[in-house]
Amino acid sequence: MNHFAQLNKQYIGGEWKDGHGQNVLTDKNPYNGEIVAEFRIANLQDIDEAYQAAAHAKEEWDKVNPFTKRAVLERAIAYIEQHEKEITEIIMDELGGTRLKAAFEIGLVKDIIKEAATFPLRMEGKILPSPVDGKENRLYRLPVGVVGVISPFNFPFYLSMKSVAPALGAGNGVVLKPHEDTPITGGTLIAKIFEEAGIPKGLLNVVVTEISEIGDAFVEHPIPRVISFTGSTQVGSHIGQLAAKHFKKAALELGGNSALIVLEDADIDYAVNAAVFSRFTHQGQVCMSANRVIVHQDVYDEFVTKYVNKVSTLKCGNPREEDTIIGPLINKRQVQNLIATVEEGIREGATPILHGDVRGNVVEPIVLSDVTTDMAVAKRELFGPAVCIMKFSTEEEAIRMANDTPFGLSGAVHTANLERGAEFAKKVYTGMIHVNDGTINDEPLVAFGGEKNSGLGRLNGPWSLEEFTTLKWISIQHTPRQFPY
């Protein structure tokens, strides 16, 4: 059970220690309520110490050979591979992830560190021509300095690492604040991995705390130049405004309300499998999840019947059991919010064609039909195992329905005609959309991010390198210049 319970400390300046805050944060297993770990939370003094440590250690990191930096990141991958069993256990215990989910998340983590390990060798500059005689223009790519990372509870290991590893690879110091429901998987586990990999003391710091203790200090502190936040649109908007006020760059990966569209010529059995995976992976707690499944009227009845039949077979309950697909939501508040939205949808006219029970934090699947675009269930992000099925008659109507949301993260379209699918995909206003696939995709080399209220900026591959670096122009005047006076 407590494989990583010793990781219940702050990691600041290369030291494991208790925070100076008054409160103790109790980290609980969302399935059975058992205590995973307890943390003395960090306060403003700890936040300042962490940022100071990162800034100081970044100067040491600057002196490290790029090939040596790459080796450190490669050792982090090796450490994860040696401890996959223990990491799987903590993903199950701390956030209610199934074994399938844990394997999926650990795979994503290894892939993103492999990509980040190339960053020290990709800090390339340019020499550019000048209209001034005798001038040489050099453009240097440099680390921004220190990056503040705030990660969520749903894929905390990956969504922390997605910013931490590239920021380190690009030469920065990092301070990471994991979500209070997942302080180990999203925080101190990552500190342990990089400590074992041999990064300089203080280069990566992890502060476990609560907003009631630190307010906006994590974002407003003068040291970090970039704040990378993954989480809700509401909080992301607040962080974006704070960052702009203090002339920091914000990378914001926010909520979604993705649509999976099934055209009349789709392979229905295949589309059902993609749609079920797109909604019920990690019990629907994925920003890219298909909240809305929009189906052509000619195949609607067949699709709905097959979809409900498949969803009815998904095993719900203990995430430690090998064949469990749907484990618990992260906490009671998330359960209550989901059920309240579903009940509102039913009052507005949605029909619950499947409505499972709620047992503790485990919510059995809820499938709603007769949903229209003006209903609460179609407008909000359903961060749990509930789904809206909607009907359309023309392609134009399907595009209009898919776009009738303030979000624009992911999506999918199913059709026998791949070029028709690609043309349809171009008309859906999202950062990402997939033809004949699910809505949940994330690859280390491909730009990841949303439009509209789903965020700002892109991560992965060269886009992460861009987010976590800056450009500096140094010119050299080789021959005396003629000044006008």
Side-chain angles (χ1 to χ4, degrees):
M1 166 65 193
N2 289 331
H3 312 282
F4 285 96
Q6 72 273 24
L7 298 181
N8 65 335
K9 305 283 185 188
Q10 312 294 330
Y11 186 67
I12 299 173
E15 305 293 332
W16 296 94
K17 52 191 174 184
D18 285 331
H20 289 93
Q22 291 303 304
N23 294 346
V24 171
L25 185 149
T26 303
D27 181 16
K28 289 183 178 177
N29 180 319
Y31 177 69
N32 59 24
E34 288 180 4
I35 294 174
V36 176
E38 292 183 321
F39 290 78
R40 174 72 64 179
I41 66 169
N43 69 359
L44 296 175
Q45 175 190 332
D46 297 312
I47 301 292
D48 180 59
E49 196 181 318
Y51 276 129
Q52 299 286 356
H56 179 73
K58 184 262 174 192
E59 294 179 12
E60 293 304 307
W61 195 228
D62 284 343
K63 300 170 190 170
V64 175
N65 184 286
F67 287 81
T68 305
K69 288 178 182 171
R70 181 178 68 173
V72 170
L73 287 153
E74 288 171 341
R75 285 198 297 273
I77 300 165
Y79 183 84
I80 292 166
E81 287 174 338
Q82 290 158 14
H83 295 87
E84 278 199 33
K85 186 174 182 294
E86 297 97 314
I87 295 169
T88 298
E89 300 272 337
I90 196 64
I91 289 174
M92 291 189 294
D93 287 344
E94 190 180 42
L95 56 134
T98 62
R99 291 182 185 277
L100 190 69
K101 189 266 189 189
F104 184 47
E105 184 165 11
I106 292 167
L108 288 168
V109 166
K110 289 191 290 187
D111 279 348
I112 205 67
I113 305 175
K114 285 174 186 172
E115 171 63 7
T118 69
F119 281 16
L121 311 187
R122 289 163 63 185
M123 300 290 286
E124 298 167 352
K126 285 184 176 180
I127 296 178
L128 297 170
S130 171
V132 178
D133 289 343
K135 175 172 291 214
E136 178 187 8
N137 286 319
R138 299 180 186 178
L139 204 58
Y140 289 82
R141 183 170 293 281
L142 301 171
V144 294
V146 174
V147 176
V149 178
I150 305 171
S151 65
F153 63 75
N154 57 339
F155 271 70
F157 189 33
Y158 176 56
L159 293 174
S160 294
M161 195 67 84
K162 189 175 183 173
S163 291
V164 169
L168 292 172
N172 299 287
V174 176
V175 180
L176 166 63
K177 190 195 88 62
H179 193 279
E180 53 271 26
D181 282 318
T182 52
I184 296 176
T185 320
T188 54
L189 168 62
I190 291 168
K192 176 71 172 169
I193 288 164
F194 282 108
E195 181 183 56
E196 294 291 335
I199 61 164
K201 278 181 178 291
L203 192 67
L204 171 63
N205 304 269
V206 175
V207 288
V208 174
T209 188
E210 296 167 333
I211 298 306
S212 58
E213 178 72 34
I214 64 162
D216 291 329
F218 190 88
V219 178
E220 292 190 310
H221 195 284
I223 285 179
R225 301 313 313 144
V226 174
I227 301 292
S228 182
F229 171 80
T230 307
S232 73
T233 296
Q234 182 183 358
V235 177
S237 173
H238 178 66
I239 286 171
Q241 291 174 63
L242 283 177
K245 178 181 168 186
H246 294 280
F247 302 99
K248 302 174 191 285
K249 187 161 66 168
L252 303 172
E253 301 287 338
L254 309 179
N257 185 11
S258 299
L260 186 146
I261 300 102
V262 182
L263 301 182
E264 76 283 353
D265 61 348
D267 178 332
I268 298 303
D269 291 333
Y270 179 71
V272 164
N273 288 342
V276 172
F277 175 81
S278 297
R279 175 67 268 182
F280 297 102
T281 294
H282 194 42
Q283 35 283 13
Q285 297 177 119
V286 183
C287 53
M288 296 173 278
S289 289
N291 286 338
R292 301 169 298 148
V293 180
I294 302 174
V295 186
H296 191 277
Q297 60 186 15
D298 291 357
V299 293
Y300 182 86
D301 290 342
E302 180 191 357
F303 180 91
V304 169
T305 299
K306 289 179 172 178
Y307 185 87
V308 171
N309 286 345
K310 184 171 178 73
V311 172
S312 301
T313 68
L314 303 179
K315 181 180 171 183
C316 307
N318 188 347
R320 286 184 149 273
E321 292 177 9
E322 203 74 46
D323 53 349
T324 297
I325 299 297
I326 297 177
L329 295 186
I330 192 70
N331 57 41
K332 190 172 184 181
R333 187 180 72 252
Q334 293 293 127
V335 174
Q336 291 168 339
N337 289 347
L338 177 69
I339 297 305
T341 302
V342 166
E343 287 173 352
E344 189 177 343
I346 293 169
R347 285 196 300 274
E348 290 175 337
T351 304
I353 51 177
L354 187 66
H355 198 323
D357 295 330
V358 179
R359 292 176 284 112
N361 289 337
V362 177
V363 179
E364 295 178 344
I366 300 167
V367 180
L368 301 173
S369 66
D370 304 316
V371 176
T372 55
T373 55
D374 57 344
M375 292 181 183
V377 285
K379 286 187 174 300
R380 295 180 201 152
E381 181 175 28
L382 301 174
F383 221 59
V387 65
C388 304
I389 305 188
M390 308 164 81
K391 187 188 292 185
F392 72 91
S393 55
T394 67
E395 203 170 295
E396 293 70 29
E397 185 186 9
I399 291 163
R400 192 168 63 250
M401 290 168 74
N403 286 333
D404 190 4
T405 173
F407 298 98
L409 189 59
S410 188
V413 55
H414 281 252
T415 172
N417 183 331
L418 297 181
E419 286 308 316
R420 178 192 182 193
E423 288 305 310
F424 185 101
K426 288 176 187 175
K427 296 170 187 167
V428 181
Y429 189 20
T430 58
M432 310 172 283
I433 183 166
H434 311 284
V435 179
N436 288 357
D437 195 1
T439 57
I440 301 173
N441 282 281
D442 193 342
E443 297 182 9
L445 298 181
V446 186
F448 183 103
E451 299 294 337
K452 300 190 282 188
N453 290 9
S454 289
L456 282 176
R458 294 292 183 269
L459 292 178
N460 297 345
W463 297 274
S464 288
L465 189 62
E466 192 68 39
E467 291 287 357
F468 300 128
T469 57
T470 189
L471 294 170
K472 184 168 187 172
W473 174 24
I474 296 179
S475 77
I476 300 165
Q477 192 64 37
H478 289 283
T479 58
R481 181 176 178 174
Q482 297 301 311
F483 295 103
Y485 60 88

